[in-house]
Amino acid sequence: MDRPGLTPERLTRAGAELADEVGFDQVTVSALARRFDVKVPSLYSHLKNSQDLRIRIALFALKELADRVADAVAGRAGRDALAAFADAYRDYAREHPGRYAATRLRLDRETAAASAGVQHAQMARAILRGYGLDEPDATHAVRMLGSVFHGYVSLELAGGFEHSAPGALESWEWIVDSLDAVLRTRSTR
């Protein structure tokens, strides 16, 4: 018999919280069952397996991050929009390291196309339109932003900037300024 109140959505949210606590790689149906003090088989009416749970968490985190970034960039343009996008991304990763790790889960083509990952790329492209980039430069720039943000955040979360000056925030702002300068020099306007 199912435990009252268990739904795929509730399990996904609990899995996302668990990911932040113990790391995304440690999230399994067994770990989730322990969290709810139920037997593992009782969750299989809501989840197929641990991979299904991991995909659900990834989709949840992608949507949550997309909503946060959309709120941050609304009504902004140019460097201001770029900084808001970057800061929302970094803040989310720092506040929700397990969920952030989930956003990096490799999804099959169909699942990825239906995910909020598409919205991330669309927001990046919207910001880049303000820089007047044509193709293929716009695609290169989307990839550059994703690479720089992910690389920096990953190093920061791993403690890579804790033992030297200047502080991580100062470097982050320098990077955003540098990205803005690079994007302005690539403009076709």
Side-chain angles (χ1 to χ4, degrees), residues 43-109:
L43 298 186
Y44 286 126
S45 63
H46 304 290
L47 304 166
K48 294 176 193 169
N49 51 39
S50 289
Q51 182 62 11
D52 179 42
L53 174 61
R54 293 168 56 77
I55 291 169
R56 289 172 182 271
I57 294 167
L59 296 173
F60 173 83
L62 283 166
K63 178 66 173 135
E64 193 174 58
L65 178 56
D67 290 346
R68 181 181 285 201
V69 171
D71 287 346
V73 301
R76 298 172 189 261
R79 191 221 176 272
D80 191 35
L82 177 65
F85 184 97
D87 290 345
Y89 190 96
R90 178 175 177 250
D91 291 346
Y92 184 84
R94 290 164 47 100
E95 292 168 24
H96 301 291
R99 294 178 206 198
Y100 175 74
T103 68
R104 313 316 304 166
L105 182 68
R106 185 177 201 154
L107 302 171
D108 66 70
R109 183 182 298 269

